[in-house]
């Protein structure tokens, strides 16, 4: 998402665009964070000019993208022949 309603929040090596403010279509939820994690998240929010909600959304989206990449790799390799760990050990020792 880009444009006037987007805000770029950096998560790791990538930039993720998240909504600037809550919209009527956004869902509300409660999450429980360790106090140290929450304090660190608040500092990051303040230093990056992002809200805590923006950062949490960006982190969740990044995790889901990583899962999608893993699933794609798994599906590409699903038809490959497999060998048991024991077979590999026997062939090398």
């Amino acid at each position: 998402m880009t444009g006037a309603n987007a805000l770029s929040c950096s998560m790791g090596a990538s930039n993720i665009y998240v909504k600037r403010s809550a919209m009527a279509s956004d869902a509300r939820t409660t999450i429980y964070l360790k106090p140290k994690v929450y304090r660190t998240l608040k500092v990051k929010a303040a230093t990056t000019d992002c809200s805590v909600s923006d950062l949490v959304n960006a982190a969740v989206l990044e995790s889901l993208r990583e899962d999608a990449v893993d699933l794609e790799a798994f599906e590409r390799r699903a038809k490959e022949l497999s060998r048991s760990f024991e077979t590999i050990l026997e062939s090398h020792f």
Side-chain angles (χ1 to χ4, degrees):
M1 170 193 326
T2 59
N5 291 330
L7 175 68
S8 174
C9 288
S10 179
M11 290 298 299
S14 62
N15 284 331
I16 296 176
Y17 293 94
V18 294
K19 291 180 184 175
R20 180 176 291 279
S21 61
M23 303 292 285
S25 63
D26 289 347
R28 292 179 53 104
T29 190
T30 301
I31 60 170
Y32 295 92
L33 302 170
K34 302 291 184 196
K36 187 173 182 177
V37 172
Y38 183 66
R39 284 192 304 272
T40 305
L41 188 58
K42 293 280 286 183
V43 168
K44 181 167 182 155
T47 59
T48 60
D49 201 30
C50 292
S51 70
V52 168
S53 182
D54 290 338
L55 293 172
V56 170
N57 271 297
V60 170
L61 286 172
E62 182 64 22
S63 178
L64 293 172
R65 284 188 183 115
E66 289 174 1
D67 289 348
V69 169
D70 291 345
L71 287 172
E72 285 176 19
F74 178 77
E75 288 173 4
R76 279 194 312 271
R77 299 189 70 186
K79 295 181 181 175
E80 290 182 6
L81 296 176
S82 63
R83 294 186 293 173
S84 70
F85 181 69
E86 290 80 11
T87 303
I88 294 171
L89 285 178
E90 290 171 2
S91 66
H92 286 39
F93 296 103

